[in-house]
Short mmCIF file of all heavy atoms in Angstrom, two decimals:
data_model
loop_
_atom_site.label_atom_id
_atom_site.label_comp_id
_atom_site.label_asym_id
_atom_site.label_seq_id
_atom_site.Cartn_x
_atom_site.Cartn_y
_atom_site.Cartn_z
N GLU A 1 219.78 147.18 -65.17
CA GLU A 1 221.15 147.33 -64.76
C GLU A 1 221.32 148.73 -64.17
O GLU A 1 220.89 149.70 -64.74
CB GLU A 1 222.06 147.15 -65.98
CG GLU A 1 223.49 147.07 -65.62
CD GLU A 1 224.32 146.67 -66.85
OE1 GLU A 1 223.88 145.79 -67.61
OE2 GLU A 1 225.37 147.28 -67.03
N CYS A 2 221.97 148.83 -63.04
CA CYS A 2 222.18 150.11 -62.37
C CYS A 2 223.66 150.43 -62.33
O CYS A 2 224.50 149.55 -62.22
CB CYS A 2 221.65 150.07 -60.93
SG CYS A 2 219.89 149.87 -60.85
N PHE A 3 223.95 151.70 -62.45
CA PHE A 3 225.32 152.18 -62.36
C PHE A 3 225.41 153.16 -61.20
O PHE A 3 224.54 154.01 -61.04
CB PHE A 3 225.75 152.88 -63.65
CG PHE A 3 225.77 151.96 -64.83
CD1 PHE A 3 224.68 151.86 -65.67
CD2 PHE A 3 226.88 151.17 -65.08
CE1 PHE A 3 224.70 151.02 -66.76
CE2 PHE A 3 226.91 150.32 -66.16
CZ PHE A 3 225.81 150.24 -67.00
N ALA A 4 226.46 153.04 -60.42
CA ALA A 4 226.67 153.98 -59.32
C ALA A 4 227.12 155.31 -59.92
O ALA A 4 228.00 155.35 -60.76
CB ALA A 4 227.72 153.46 -58.36
N THR A 5 226.50 156.37 -59.52
CA THR A 5 226.87 157.70 -59.98
C THR A 5 227.22 158.55 -58.77
O THR A 5 226.45 158.64 -57.84
CB THR A 5 225.71 158.37 -60.75
OG1 THR A 5 225.38 157.53 -61.85
CG2 THR A 5 226.12 159.73 -61.25
N THR A 6 228.39 159.13 -58.82
CA THR A 6 228.82 160.02 -57.76
C THR A 6 228.78 161.44 -58.28
O THR A 6 229.26 161.71 -59.38
CB THR A 6 230.26 159.67 -57.32
OG1 THR A 6 230.29 158.31 -56.93
CG2 THR A 6 230.69 160.55 -56.16
N TYR A 7 228.19 162.33 -57.53
CA TYR A 7 228.12 163.73 -57.91
C TYR A 7 229.09 164.52 -57.05
O TYR A 7 229.11 164.37 -55.84
CB TYR A 7 226.70 164.27 -57.75
CG TYR A 7 225.73 163.61 -58.69
CD1 TYR A 7 224.95 162.55 -58.29
CD2 TYR A 7 225.62 164.05 -60.00
CE1 TYR A 7 224.07 161.93 -59.17
CE2 TYR A 7 224.75 163.45 -60.90
CZ TYR A 7 223.98 162.39 -60.47
OH TYR A 7 223.13 161.78 -61.35
N TYR A 8 229.87 165.35 -57.70
CA TYR A 8 230.84 166.17 -57.00
C TYR A 8 230.43 167.63 -57.10
O TYR A 8 229.99 168.08 -58.15
CB TYR A 8 232.23 166.00 -57.61
CG TYR A 8 232.80 164.63 -57.38
CD1 TYR A 8 232.56 163.59 -58.27
CD2 TYR A 8 233.59 164.37 -56.27
CE1 TYR A 8 233.10 162.33 -58.05
CE2 TYR A 8 234.12 163.12 -56.04
CZ TYR A 8 233.87 162.10 -56.94
OH TYR A 8 234.39 160.86 -56.72
N THR A 9 230.61 168.34 -56.03
CA THR A 9 230.36 169.77 -56.03
C THR A 9 231.67 170.45 -55.65
O THR A 9 232.19 170.22 -54.56
CB THR A 9 229.26 170.16 -55.04
OG1 THR A 9 228.08 169.45 -55.38
CG2 THR A 9 229.00 171.64 -55.07
N CYS A 10 232.16 171.25 -56.55
CA CYS A 10 233.40 171.99 -56.29
C CYS A 10 233.05 173.41 -55.88
O CYS A 10 232.00 173.94 -56.24
CB CYS A 10 234.26 172.03 -57.55
SG CYS A 10 234.72 170.41 -58.19
N THR A 11 233.94 174.03 -55.16
CA THR A 11 233.81 175.43 -54.78
C THR A 11 233.79 176.28 -56.05
O THR A 11 234.44 175.94 -57.04
CB THR A 11 235.03 175.84 -53.92
OG1 THR A 11 235.08 174.96 -52.78
CG2 THR A 11 234.94 177.27 -53.46
N GLU A 12 233.03 177.38 -56.04
CA GLU A 12 233.00 178.29 -57.19
C GLU A 12 234.44 178.69 -57.54
O GLU A 12 235.25 178.93 -56.66
CB GLU A 12 232.17 179.53 -56.89
CG GLU A 12 230.68 179.23 -56.69
CD GLU A 12 230.02 178.66 -57.94
OE1 GLU A 12 230.05 179.30 -59.00
OE2 GLU A 12 229.47 177.54 -57.84
N GLY A 13 234.74 178.73 -58.83
CA GLY A 13 236.09 179.02 -59.28
C GLY A 13 236.93 177.76 -59.47
O GLY A 13 238.07 177.83 -59.89
N TRP A 14 236.33 176.61 -59.19
CA TRP A 14 236.96 175.30 -59.38
C TRP A 14 236.06 174.46 -60.27
O TRP A 14 234.86 174.71 -60.35
CB TRP A 14 237.16 174.59 -58.05
CG TRP A 14 238.12 175.26 -57.12
CD1 TRP A 14 237.94 176.45 -56.48
CD2 TRP A 14 239.40 174.80 -56.73
NE1 TRP A 14 239.03 176.76 -55.71
CE2 TRP A 14 239.94 175.75 -55.84
CE3 TRP A 14 240.14 173.66 -57.02
CZ2 TRP A 14 241.19 175.60 -55.26
CZ3 TRP A 14 241.38 173.51 -56.43
CH2 TRP A 14 241.90 174.47 -55.57
N TYR A 15 236.62 173.46 -60.94
CA TYR A 15 235.82 172.56 -61.77
C TYR A 15 236.17 171.12 -61.45
O TYR A 15 237.25 170.84 -60.91
CB TYR A 15 236.02 172.85 -63.26
CG TYR A 15 237.36 172.41 -63.80
CD1 TYR A 15 237.49 171.20 -64.48
CD2 TYR A 15 238.50 173.19 -63.64
CE1 TYR A 15 238.71 170.77 -64.96
CE2 TYR A 15 239.71 172.78 -64.13
CZ TYR A 15 239.82 171.57 -64.78
OH TYR A 15 241.03 171.15 -65.26
N PHE A 16 235.28 170.21 -61.78
CA PHE A 16 235.51 168.79 -61.52
C PHE A 16 236.21 168.18 -62.72
O PHE A 16 235.72 168.22 -63.84
CB PHE A 16 234.20 168.06 -61.26
CG PHE A 16 234.40 166.59 -61.02
CD1 PHE A 16 234.98 166.16 -59.85
CD2 PHE A 16 234.05 165.66 -61.98
CE1 PHE A 16 235.20 164.81 -59.63
CE2 PHE A 16 234.25 164.31 -61.78
CZ PHE A 16 234.83 163.88 -60.59
N GLU A 17 237.38 167.62 -62.47
CA GLU A 17 238.16 166.93 -63.51
C GLU A 17 237.87 165.43 -63.39
O GLU A 17 238.31 164.79 -62.44
CB GLU A 17 239.65 167.22 -63.34
CG GLU A 17 240.54 166.51 -64.33
CD GLU A 17 240.17 166.77 -65.77
OE1 GLU A 17 240.15 167.94 -66.17
OE2 GLU A 17 239.87 165.79 -66.48
N ALA A 18 237.11 164.91 -64.34
CA ALA A 18 236.67 163.51 -64.29
C ALA A 18 237.83 162.52 -64.33
O ALA A 18 237.77 161.48 -63.67
CB ALA A 18 235.69 163.23 -65.42
N SER A 19 238.88 162.84 -65.08
CA SER A 19 239.98 161.88 -65.21
C SER A 19 240.71 161.63 -63.89
O SER A 19 241.24 160.54 -63.68
CB SER A 19 240.97 162.35 -66.28
OG SER A 19 241.61 163.54 -65.89
N THR A 20 240.72 162.61 -63.02
CA THR A 20 241.40 162.45 -61.73
C THR A 20 240.41 162.40 -60.57
O THR A 20 240.80 162.16 -59.43
CB THR A 20 242.38 163.60 -61.47
OG1 THR A 20 241.66 164.84 -61.48
CG2 THR A 20 243.48 163.63 -62.50
N GLU A 21 239.14 162.64 -60.87
CA GLU A 21 238.07 162.68 -59.87
C GLU A 21 238.40 163.65 -58.73
O GLU A 21 238.21 163.34 -57.56
CB GLU A 21 237.75 161.29 -59.34
CG GLU A 21 237.16 160.38 -60.39
CD GLU A 21 236.63 159.07 -59.85
OE1 GLU A 21 236.88 158.75 -58.67
OE2 GLU A 21 235.96 158.37 -60.61
N THR A 22 238.90 164.84 -59.12
CA THR A 22 239.21 165.88 -58.14
C THR A 22 238.72 167.23 -58.65
O THR A 22 238.48 167.41 -59.83
CB THR A 22 240.74 165.99 -57.90
OG1 THR A 22 241.37 166.32 -59.13
CG2 THR A 22 241.31 164.71 -57.34
N CYS A 23 238.59 168.17 -57.73
CA CYS A 23 238.29 169.54 -58.11
C CYS A 23 239.62 170.23 -58.41
O CYS A 23 240.58 170.09 -57.66
CB CYS A 23 237.56 170.26 -56.98
SG CYS A 23 235.88 169.64 -56.71
N GLU A 24 239.67 170.95 -59.54
CA GLU A 24 240.88 171.64 -59.97
C GLU A 24 240.59 173.13 -60.09
O GLU A 24 239.46 173.52 -60.37
CB GLU A 24 241.31 171.11 -61.34
CG GLU A 24 241.65 169.63 -61.38
CD GLU A 24 242.95 169.31 -60.66
OE1 GLU A 24 243.83 170.19 -60.61
OE2 GLU A 24 243.06 168.19 -60.13
N PRO A 25 241.60 174.00 -59.90
CA PRO A 25 241.37 175.43 -60.05
C PRO A 25 241.03 175.78 -61.50
O PRO A 25 241.59 175.20 -62.42
CB PRO A 25 242.69 176.07 -59.62
CG PRO A 25 243.70 174.99 -59.63
CD PRO A 25 242.97 173.69 -59.53
N CYS A 26 240.13 176.71 -61.67
CA CYS A 26 239.74 177.15 -63.01
C CYS A 26 240.95 177.77 -63.70
O CYS A 26 241.59 178.66 -63.15
CB CYS A 26 238.60 178.15 -62.90
SG CYS A 26 237.70 178.35 -64.43
N PRO A 27 241.29 177.31 -64.91
CA PRO A 27 242.48 177.84 -65.59
C PRO A 27 242.21 179.17 -66.29
O PRO A 27 241.07 179.60 -66.43
CB PRO A 27 242.78 176.74 -66.62
CG PRO A 27 241.45 176.15 -66.92
CD PRO A 27 240.66 176.22 -65.63
N LEU A 28 243.29 179.79 -66.75
CA LEU A 28 243.18 181.02 -67.53
C LEU A 28 242.27 180.79 -68.73
O LEU A 28 242.19 179.68 -69.25
CB LEU A 28 244.56 181.45 -68.05
CG LEU A 28 245.62 181.80 -67.02
CD1 LEU A 28 246.92 182.14 -67.72
CD2 LEU A 28 245.16 182.94 -66.14
N ALA A 29 241.59 181.84 -69.17
CA ALA A 29 240.73 181.82 -70.36
C ALA A 29 239.47 180.98 -70.18
O ALA A 29 238.82 180.64 -71.15
CB ALA A 29 241.51 181.37 -71.60
N HIS A 30 239.12 180.66 -68.95
CA HIS A 30 237.91 179.89 -68.64
C HIS A 30 237.24 180.49 -67.41
O HIS A 30 237.86 181.20 -66.64
CB HIS A 30 238.26 178.43 -68.31
CG HIS A 30 238.78 177.67 -69.48
ND1 HIS A 30 240.08 177.81 -69.91
CD2 HIS A 30 238.19 176.78 -70.29
CE1 HIS A 30 240.26 177.01 -70.96
NE2 HIS A 30 239.13 176.37 -71.21
N TYR A 31 235.96 180.16 -67.24
CA TYR A 31 235.31 180.44 -65.97
C TYR A 31 234.70 179.15 -65.47
O TYR A 31 234.42 178.23 -66.25
CB TYR A 31 234.29 181.58 -66.08
CG TYR A 31 233.06 181.27 -66.90
CD1 TYR A 31 231.89 180.83 -66.29
CD2 TYR A 31 233.05 181.47 -68.28
CE1 TYR A 31 230.75 180.57 -67.04
CE2 TYR A 31 231.92 181.22 -69.03
CZ TYR A 31 230.77 180.77 -68.40
OH TYR A 31 229.64 180.52 -69.14
N CYS A 32 234.53 179.04 -64.14
CA CYS A 32 234.07 177.79 -63.55
C CYS A 32 232.95 178.05 -62.56
O CYS A 32 233.13 178.74 -61.56
CB CYS A 32 235.22 177.09 -62.86
SG CYS A 32 236.55 176.62 -64.00
N VAL A 33 231.78 177.50 -62.87
CA VAL A 33 230.62 177.56 -61.99
C VAL A 33 229.94 176.20 -62.00
O VAL A 33 230.03 175.45 -62.98
CB VAL A 33 229.61 178.66 -62.39
CG1 VAL A 33 230.21 180.04 -62.20
CG2 VAL A 33 229.14 178.49 -63.81
N ASN A 34 229.29 175.86 -60.91
CA ASN A 34 228.57 174.58 -60.79
C ASN A 34 229.47 173.39 -61.14
O ASN A 34 229.02 172.43 -61.75
CB ASN A 34 227.32 174.57 -61.66
CG ASN A 34 226.36 175.66 -61.29
OD1 ASN A 34 226.22 175.99 -60.12
ND2 ASN A 34 225.71 176.24 -62.26
N SER A 35 230.74 173.48 -60.78
CA SER A 35 231.73 172.43 -61.01
C SER A 35 232.06 172.20 -62.48
O SER A 35 232.71 171.22 -62.83
CB SER A 35 231.29 171.11 -60.36
OG SER A 35 231.11 171.29 -58.97
N ASP A 36 231.62 173.10 -63.37
CA ASP A 36 231.89 172.99 -64.80
C ASP A 36 232.91 174.04 -65.23
O ASP A 36 232.94 175.15 -64.70
CB ASP A 36 230.62 173.20 -65.63
CG ASP A 36 229.62 172.08 -65.44
OD1 ASP A 36 230.05 170.92 -65.29
OD2 ASP A 36 228.42 172.37 -65.45
N LYS A 37 233.72 173.70 -66.23
CA LYS A 37 234.71 174.61 -66.82
C LYS A 37 234.18 175.04 -68.19
O LYS A 37 233.85 174.21 -69.03
CB LYS A 37 236.05 173.91 -66.96
CG LYS A 37 237.13 174.72 -67.63
CD LYS A 37 238.46 173.98 -67.65
CE LYS A 37 238.39 172.80 -68.59
NZ LYS A 37 239.69 172.17 -68.82
N VAL A 38 234.11 176.37 -68.43
CA VAL A 38 233.59 176.91 -69.68
C VAL A 38 234.63 177.86 -70.27
O VAL A 38 235.12 178.75 -69.58
CB VAL A 38 232.26 177.66 -69.45
CG1 VAL A 38 231.72 178.20 -70.76
CG2 VAL A 38 231.25 176.77 -68.75
N ALA A 39 234.95 177.68 -71.54
CA ALA A 39 235.94 178.53 -72.21
C ALA A 39 235.34 179.89 -72.56
O ALA A 39 234.18 179.99 -72.95
CB ALA A 39 236.43 177.85 -73.48
N CYS A 40 236.15 180.94 -72.42
CA CYS A 40 235.75 182.26 -72.89
C CYS A 40 235.71 182.23 -74.42
O CYS A 40 236.37 181.41 -75.05
CB CYS A 40 236.76 183.32 -72.45
SG CYS A 40 236.89 183.51 -70.66
N ILE A 41 234.95 183.14 -75.00
CA ILE A 41 234.84 183.21 -76.46
C ILE A 41 235.61 184.43 -76.96
O ILE A 41 236.03 185.28 -76.17
CB ILE A 41 233.36 183.27 -76.91
CG1 ILE A 41 232.66 184.50 -76.32
CG2 ILE A 41 232.64 181.99 -76.53
CD1 ILE A 41 231.26 184.73 -76.87
N ALA A 42 235.78 184.54 -78.27
CA ALA A 42 236.48 185.68 -78.86
C ALA A 42 235.85 186.98 -78.39
O ALA A 42 234.63 187.10 -78.32
CB ALA A 42 236.42 185.59 -80.38
N GLY A 43 236.69 187.95 -78.01
CA GLY A 43 236.21 189.23 -77.51
C GLY A 43 236.04 189.25 -76.00
O GLY A 43 235.70 190.27 -75.42
N GLU A 44 236.27 188.13 -75.36
CA GLU A 44 236.23 188.02 -73.89
C GLU A 44 237.60 187.57 -73.41
O GLU A 44 238.41 187.07 -74.19
CB GLU A 44 235.20 186.99 -73.44
CG GLU A 44 233.77 187.31 -73.79
CD GLU A 44 232.81 186.24 -73.32
OE1 GLU A 44 233.20 185.07 -73.16
OE2 GLU A 44 231.65 186.59 -73.11
N PHE A 45 237.86 187.74 -72.12
CA PHE A 45 239.12 187.29 -71.56
C PHE A 45 238.97 187.01 -70.07
O PHE A 45 238.05 187.50 -69.42
CB PHE A 45 240.23 188.32 -71.79
CG PHE A 45 240.15 189.48 -70.84
CD1 PHE A 45 240.96 189.54 -69.72
CD2 PHE A 45 239.24 190.51 -71.04
CE1 PHE A 45 240.88 190.61 -68.83
CE2 PHE A 45 239.16 191.59 -70.17
CZ PHE A 45 239.98 191.63 -69.06
N VAL A 46 239.88 186.22 -69.56
CA VAL A 46 240.11 186.03 -68.13
C VAL A 46 241.60 185.82 -67.99
O VAL A 46 242.15 184.88 -68.57
CB VAL A 46 239.34 184.83 -67.54
CG1 VAL A 46 239.79 184.54 -66.13
CG2 VAL A 46 237.85 185.08 -67.55
N ASP A 47 242.28 186.70 -67.26
CA ASP A 47 243.73 186.60 -67.13
C ASP A 47 244.16 186.20 -65.72
O ASP A 47 245.26 186.51 -65.29
CB ASP A 47 244.40 187.90 -67.57
CG ASP A 47 243.93 189.11 -66.78
OD1 ASP A 47 243.00 188.98 -65.95
OD2 ASP A 47 244.49 190.21 -67.00
N PHE A 48 243.29 185.49 -65.02
CA PHE A 48 243.61 184.98 -63.70
C PHE A 48 242.86 183.67 -63.48
O PHE A 48 241.90 183.37 -64.16
CB PHE A 48 243.24 186.00 -62.61
CG PHE A 48 241.79 186.41 -62.65
CD1 PHE A 48 240.82 185.73 -61.94
CD2 PHE A 48 241.39 187.51 -63.42
CE1 PHE A 48 239.48 186.11 -61.99
CE2 PHE A 48 240.06 187.90 -63.48
CZ PHE A 48 239.11 187.20 -62.76
N LYS A 49 243.33 182.87 -62.54
CA LYS A 49 242.68 181.60 -62.21
C LYS A 49 241.49 181.84 -61.29
O LYS A 49 241.36 182.90 -60.70
CB LYS A 49 243.67 180.65 -61.54
CG LYS A 49 244.76 180.16 -62.46
CD LYS A 49 245.64 179.16 -61.75
CE LYS A 49 246.69 178.61 -62.70
NZ LYS A 49 247.50 177.59 -62.03
N PHE A 50 240.65 180.85 -61.15
CA PHE A 50 239.49 180.83 -60.24
C PHE A 50 238.37 181.77 -60.68
O PHE A 50 237.56 182.20 -59.86
CB PHE A 50 239.91 181.17 -58.80
CG PHE A 50 241.03 180.33 -58.27
CD1 PHE A 50 242.30 180.85 -58.15
CD2 PHE A 50 240.81 179.03 -57.90
CE1 PHE A 50 243.34 180.09 -57.66
CE2 PHE A 50 241.84 178.25 -57.40
CZ PHE A 50 243.11 178.78 -57.28
N ALA A 51 238.28 182.12 -61.96
CA ALA A 51 237.27 183.07 -62.44
C ALA A 51 235.86 182.48 -62.38
O ALA A 51 235.66 181.28 -62.57
CB ALA A 51 237.59 183.49 -63.86
N LEU A 52 234.89 183.36 -62.15
CA LEU A 52 233.48 182.98 -62.12
C LEU A 52 232.75 183.44 -63.36
O LEU A 52 231.60 183.09 -63.58
CB LEU A 52 232.80 183.56 -60.88
CG LEU A 52 233.40 183.15 -59.54
CD1 LEU A 52 232.63 183.79 -58.40
CD2 LEU A 52 233.44 181.65 -59.39
N PHE A 53 233.41 184.26 -64.20
CA PHE A 53 232.82 184.73 -65.45
C PHE A 53 233.93 185.28 -66.33
O PHE A 53 235.01 185.61 -65.85
CB PHE A 53 231.75 185.80 -65.21
CG PHE A 53 232.23 186.97 -64.42
CD1 PHE A 53 232.81 188.06 -65.04
CD2 PHE A 53 232.13 186.98 -63.03
CE1 PHE A 53 233.27 189.15 -64.31
CE2 PHE A 53 232.59 188.06 -62.28
CZ PHE A 53 233.16 189.14 -62.93
N CYS A 54 233.67 185.37 -67.64
CA CYS A 54 234.59 186.00 -68.58
C CYS A 54 234.23 187.47 -68.66
O CYS A 54 233.08 187.85 -68.49
CB CYS A 54 234.47 185.36 -69.96
SG CYS A 54 235.01 183.64 -69.99
N MET A 55 235.22 188.30 -68.93
CA MET A 55 234.99 189.74 -69.06
C MET A 55 235.11 190.15 -70.52
O MET A 55 235.89 189.56 -71.28
CB MET A 55 236.02 190.50 -68.22
CG MET A 55 235.89 190.18 -66.73
SD MET A 55 237.19 190.94 -65.73
CE MET A 55 238.54 189.82 -66.03
N ASP A 56 234.34 191.16 -70.92
CA ASP A 56 234.46 191.71 -72.27
C ASP A 56 235.79 192.44 -72.40
O ASP A 56 236.26 193.07 -71.44
CB ASP A 56 233.33 192.70 -72.56
CG ASP A 56 231.98 192.03 -72.69
OD1 ASP A 56 231.93 190.84 -73.05
OD2 ASP A 56 230.96 192.70 -72.43
N CYS A 57 236.38 192.36 -73.57
CA CYS A 57 237.61 193.10 -73.83
C CYS A 57 237.30 194.60 -73.70
O CYS A 57 236.33 195.08 -74.28
CB CYS A 57 238.11 192.77 -75.23
SG CYS A 57 239.81 193.25 -75.50
N PRO A 58 238.07 195.34 -72.89
CA PRO A 58 237.76 196.75 -72.64
C PRO A 58 237.90 197.63 -73.89
O PRO A 58 238.66 197.31 -74.80
CB PRO A 58 238.78 197.17 -71.59
CG PRO A 58 239.47 195.95 -71.15
CD PRO A 58 239.24 194.89 -72.15
N ILE A 59 237.22 198.75 -73.88
CA ILE A 59 237.34 199.75 -74.94
C ILE A 59 238.79 200.22 -74.98
O ILE A 59 239.44 200.36 -73.94
CB ILE A 59 236.38 200.93 -74.67
CG1 ILE A 59 234.93 200.43 -74.76
CG2 ILE A 59 236.63 202.07 -75.64
CD1 ILE A 59 233.90 201.45 -74.35
N ASP A 60 239.31 200.50 -76.17
CA ASP A 60 240.69 200.95 -76.39
C ASP A 60 241.72 199.87 -76.08
O ASP A 60 242.88 200.16 -75.80
CB ASP A 60 241.01 202.23 -75.61
CG ASP A 60 240.18 203.40 -76.07
OD1 ASP A 60 239.83 203.44 -77.27
OD2 ASP A 60 239.89 204.28 -75.24
N HIS A 61 241.28 198.61 -76.06
CA HIS A 61 242.16 197.46 -75.87
C HIS A 61 241.78 196.40 -76.88
O HIS A 61 240.72 196.47 -77.50
CB HIS A 61 242.02 196.88 -74.46
CG HIS A 61 242.55 197.77 -73.40
ND1 HIS A 61 241.91 198.92 -72.99
CD2 HIS A 61 243.67 197.69 -72.66
CE1 HIS A 61 242.60 199.50 -72.04
NE2 HIS A 61 243.69 198.77 -71.82
N TYR A 62 242.65 195.44 -77.06
CA TYR A 62 242.28 194.29 -77.87
C TYR A 62 242.72 193.02 -77.14
O TYR A 62 243.61 193.05 -76.30
CB TYR A 62 242.85 194.37 -79.28
CG TYR A 62 244.36 194.29 -79.40
CD1 TYR A 62 244.96 193.10 -79.80
CD2 TYR A 62 245.17 195.39 -79.16
CE1 TYR A 62 246.33 193.02 -79.93
CE2 TYR A 62 246.53 195.32 -79.28
CZ TYR A 62 247.12 194.12 -79.67
OH TYR A 62 248.47 194.04 -79.79
N CYS A 63 242.06 191.94 -77.45
CA CYS A 63 242.30 190.66 -76.78
C CYS A 63 242.72 189.64 -77.83
O CYS A 63 241.86 188.97 -78.42
CB CYS A 63 241.05 190.22 -76.04
SG CYS A 63 240.55 191.36 -74.74
N PRO A 64 244.03 189.52 -78.09
CA PRO A 64 244.48 188.58 -79.11
C PRO A 64 244.22 187.12 -78.74
O PRO A 64 244.12 186.27 -79.61
CB PRO A 64 245.97 188.87 -79.24
CG PRO A 64 246.35 189.51 -77.96
CD PRO A 64 245.13 190.23 -77.48
N THR A 65 244.13 186.85 -77.45
CA THR A 65 243.74 185.53 -76.96
C THR A 65 242.70 185.73 -75.87
O THR A 65 242.50 186.85 -75.40
CB THR A 65 244.93 184.73 -76.39
OG1 THR A 65 245.34 185.33 -75.16
CG2 THR A 65 246.10 184.68 -77.36
N THR A 66 242.10 184.67 -75.41
CA THR A 66 241.09 184.78 -74.36
C THR A 66 241.69 184.89 -72.97
O THR A 66 240.98 184.88 -71.98
CB THR A 66 240.09 183.61 -74.43
OG1 THR A 66 240.83 182.37 -74.40
CG2 THR A 66 239.24 183.68 -75.68
N SER A 67 243.04 185.01 -72.90
CA SER A 67 243.68 185.24 -71.61
C SER A 67 244.63 186.45 -71.64
O SER A 67 245.40 186.65 -70.72
CB SER A 67 244.45 183.99 -71.17
OG SER A 67 245.50 183.70 -72.07
N THR A 68 244.52 187.27 -72.70
CA THR A 68 245.42 188.40 -72.87
C THR A 68 244.66 189.67 -73.23
O THR A 68 243.79 189.64 -74.10
CB THR A 68 246.45 188.12 -73.98
OG1 THR A 68 247.10 186.89 -73.70
CG2 THR A 68 247.49 189.22 -74.08
N VAL A 69 245.00 190.78 -72.58
CA VAL A 69 244.44 192.10 -72.89
C VAL A 69 245.60 193.04 -73.18
O VAL A 69 246.52 193.16 -72.36
CB VAL A 69 243.61 192.65 -71.72
CG1 VAL A 69 243.07 194.02 -72.05
CG2 VAL A 69 242.50 191.71 -71.34
N LEU A 70 245.55 193.71 -74.32
CA LEU A 70 246.61 194.65 -74.70
C LEU A 70 245.99 195.99 -75.05
O LEU A 70 244.92 196.05 -75.67
CB LEU A 70 247.41 194.12 -75.87
CG LEU A 70 248.11 192.77 -75.65
CD1 LEU A 70 248.70 192.26 -76.95
CD2 LEU A 70 249.18 192.90 -74.59
N ALA A 71 246.68 197.07 -74.69
CA ALA A 71 246.20 198.41 -75.02
C ALA A 71 246.45 198.71 -76.49
O ALA A 71 247.48 198.32 -77.05
CB ALA A 71 246.91 199.45 -74.16
N CYS A 72 245.52 199.40 -77.12
CA CYS A 72 245.70 199.85 -78.49
C CYS A 72 246.62 201.07 -78.48
O CYS A 72 246.60 201.86 -77.55
CB CYS A 72 244.36 200.24 -79.12
SG CYS A 72 243.24 198.86 -79.32
N ASN A 73 247.41 201.20 -79.51
CA ASN A 73 248.33 202.35 -79.57
C ASN A 73 247.77 203.39 -80.51
O ASN A 73 247.15 203.21 -81.44
CB ASN A 73 249.72 201.92 -80.04
CG ASN A 73 250.40 201.07 -78.97
OD1 ASN A 73 250.19 201.29 -77.79
ND2 ASN A 73 251.20 200.11 -79.40
#
């Protein structure tokens, strides 16, 4: 038995959403490469869409969420 498989390639910063079969912009707190969406982990953040990687929380700051950076007082 054979199944038809369609492969989608999205532009970097976008991911393939299987439920709608479309490329979607990478959301906050994630990075998107090779059409995959990957969540940032604790101590990392992304505060903009279309990210290609997560960034480490900067020195003298804290990241209460993976999409927020706040300065330490």
Side-chain angles (χ1 to χ4, degrees):
E1 189 171 318
C2 295
F3 296 95
T5 302
T6 304
Y7 294 96
Y8 292 88
T9 302
C10 301
T11 303
E12 294 297 303
W14 294 69
Y15 73 98
F16 179 71
E17 178 55 58
S19 66
T20 59
E21 294 189 350
T22 60
C23 291
E24 299 289 331
C26 198
L28 298 178
H30 292 78
Y31 68 96
C32 297
V33 293
N34 300 324
S35 301
D36 292 325
K37 177 176 69 171
V38 181
C40 297
I41 60 172
E44 296 179 335
F45 77 100
V46 170
D47 58 355
F48 56 90
K49 292 184 177 183
F50 308 105
L52 301 180
F53 55 89
C54 294
M55 297 175 281
D56 290 334
C57 196
I59 295 173
D60 296 329
H61 291 74
Y62 67 102
C63 298
T65 70
T66 53
S67 63
T68 307
V69 178
L70 300 172
C72 294
N73 291 327

